[in-house]
Amino acid sequence: MRQSLGVRAARHIVLILGAVVVVVPFLWMFTTSLLSRAETYTNTSILPTSWHWENYVRAWQAAPFAQYYLNSIIMTVGIVLGHLVLDALAAYAFARLRFPLRNTLFVVLLAMLLIPTFVTVIPAYAIVADLGWIDSYAGLIVPRLADVFGIVLLRQYFSTIPTELEDAARIDGCSRIGTFFRIIVPLSRPAFATLAIFSFLFAWNDFLWPLLVTNTDDFRTIQIGLSSFVGRYGTSWNYLMAGTLTATIPAIVVFLVFQRALVRGISTTGLKD
């Protein structure tokens, strides 16, 4: 009994230390966002000597952040929907359909996870430029509508669903597509929630691709907008932290809302090959 209490106490201590490591950067961001520009270089205490809440208003007015947020929302929603639909269809094909070279193609798909993203940036940019999609929502969204990670994740989850359920539905006259939407999709909600969270974080926090394919404020995202606080001769750390903190809020909210589904989806994915 004492040993179990000691193990539980050690586990809680590790979790508390981990939570501190995660929370401290956000606390630093918050306190720095409330400093004056001069205090960002001179203040050595944990809390500001004076609280400048107007930094958030000034940071919002320093650039067209309303347009940046709108662009980020449109891009993120488009990418997440693309992942949920296209990745699911491809994953279902690999999990249930029988076609030539299925296993070989899936191995090739897995190998693509080893390819660094930077390797594919140049050919992707060349294609987008040839299509005339530079500085457009199509250029931001279409090249990233499908994701190898999402296909592998959903395929592994679909493989854990008993095929007898689909066979029963087919006997009752349900088509292959109907079986997918009426049987597979409802039973795979945790996996879809997991994929949606990862896709949201990937799209919302992406910096490189929007930087390459956007030239004007009409299509720049929030992550690109934050770079406007970094100048040649100095950085407005208080405004940068205020903008970064507000840009982080949507990701935190999405994670808190879907965290149970995320844990369940991760814990049950890959139980069956």
Side-chain angles (χ1 to χ4, degrees), residues 4 10 22 43 62 65-66 72 81 102 142 163 214 235 258 271:
S4 62
V22 173
N43 186 53
F65 275 93
S72 291
L81 291 178
R102 186 190 68 164
V142 174
T163 57
T214 58
T235 300
F258 296 101
L271 296 180

Side-chain angles (χ1 to χ4, degrees), residues 202-240:
F202 161 76
W204 185 265
N205 295 321
D206 192 15
F207 180 84
L208 178 60
W209 184 250
L211 178 64
L212 292 175
V213 299
T214 58
N215 297 324
T216 64
D217 290 334
D218 292 337
F219 296 98
R220 285 181 178 144
T221 61
I222 183 64
Q223 306 303 333
I224 307 301
L226 292 175
S227 63
S228 62
F229 296 119
V230 181
R232 178 178 300 178
Y233 302 105
T235 300
S236 302
W237 290 107
N238 51 347
Y239 296 159
L240 178 60

